[in-house]
Amino acid sequence: QAQLVESEGGLVQPGGSLRLTCAASGFDFANYPMSWYRQSPGKERELVAGISKTGDYTTYADAVKGRFTISRDNAERSVYLQMTDLKREDTAVYYCNAGAKITVSIGDFQFTQSHESEYWGQGTQDTVSS
């Protein structure tokens, strides 16, 4: 019954912006760290961004730091990915994940969070092209 549904993917020009939404249902959303992954043809699936259960901590792939922002609203049971200054290499299918391990580094401090259960959304296509 657990379900994650991504939306708002689409076509955008280089340098443009796009916000992805993941709506969760069927599980205790607030007890799960959330993540966005992406995968392009011929490439391995990669972690794009992660956020802690409370939303107080985030982590990003080097390729998107400074351009993407992950956030969540536990009352709305939703997680978002705000993407700006999009590049052609950002073209991929983006997947919402609940429960996968996230690791946040703050100086010499490392924070990890995960859940025994893990759920995936169906994915949404983001195409960056002129």
Side-chain angles (χ1 to χ4, degrees), residues 2-129:
Q3 188 174 30
L4 299 172
V5 180
E6 302 97 334
S7 63
E8 303 303 323
L11 177 66
V12 63
Q13 295 184 350
S17 300
L18 195 65
R19 190 181 77 155
L20 304 182
T21 297
C22 174
S25 62
F27 66 99
D28 192 358
F29 179 78
N31 286 329
Y32 288 71
M34 298 295 296
S35 302
W36 286 96
Y37 287 78
R38 69 183 181 186
Q39 187 168 26
S40 300
K43 294 184 178 180
E44 188 173 314
R45 184 184 64 187
E46 64 174 344
L47 174 66
V48 177
I51 188 166
S52 64
K53 292 184 291 184
T54 63
D56 292 332
Y57 302 95
T58 59
T59 183
Y60 298 93
D62 289 341
V64 306
K65 286 182 178 178
R67 299 189 297 118
F68 290 12
T69 301
I70 187 172
S71 61
R72 68 188 294 163
D73 187 332
N74 286 350
E76 294 291 326
R77 300 174 61 84
S78 297
V79 61
Y80 311 92
L81 185 66
Q82 178 66 53
M83 304 182 289
T84 62
D85 191 25
L86 284 163
K87 307 177 184 300
R88 294 184 185 275
E89 51 264 41
D90 294 319
T91 295
V93 176
Y94 285 72
Y95 298 92
C96 181
N97 173 279
K101 182 181 179 180
I102 63 168
T103 301
V104 178
S105 296
I106 306 176
D108 57 359
F109 171 75
Q110 288 191 325
F111 172 80
T112 63
Q113 204 167 69
S114 64
H115 197 281
E116 292 185 355
S117 300
E118 187 173 339
Y119 307 112
W120 290 93
Q122 82 287 352
T124 186
Q125 177 71 50
D126 172 36
T127 301
V128 184
S129 177

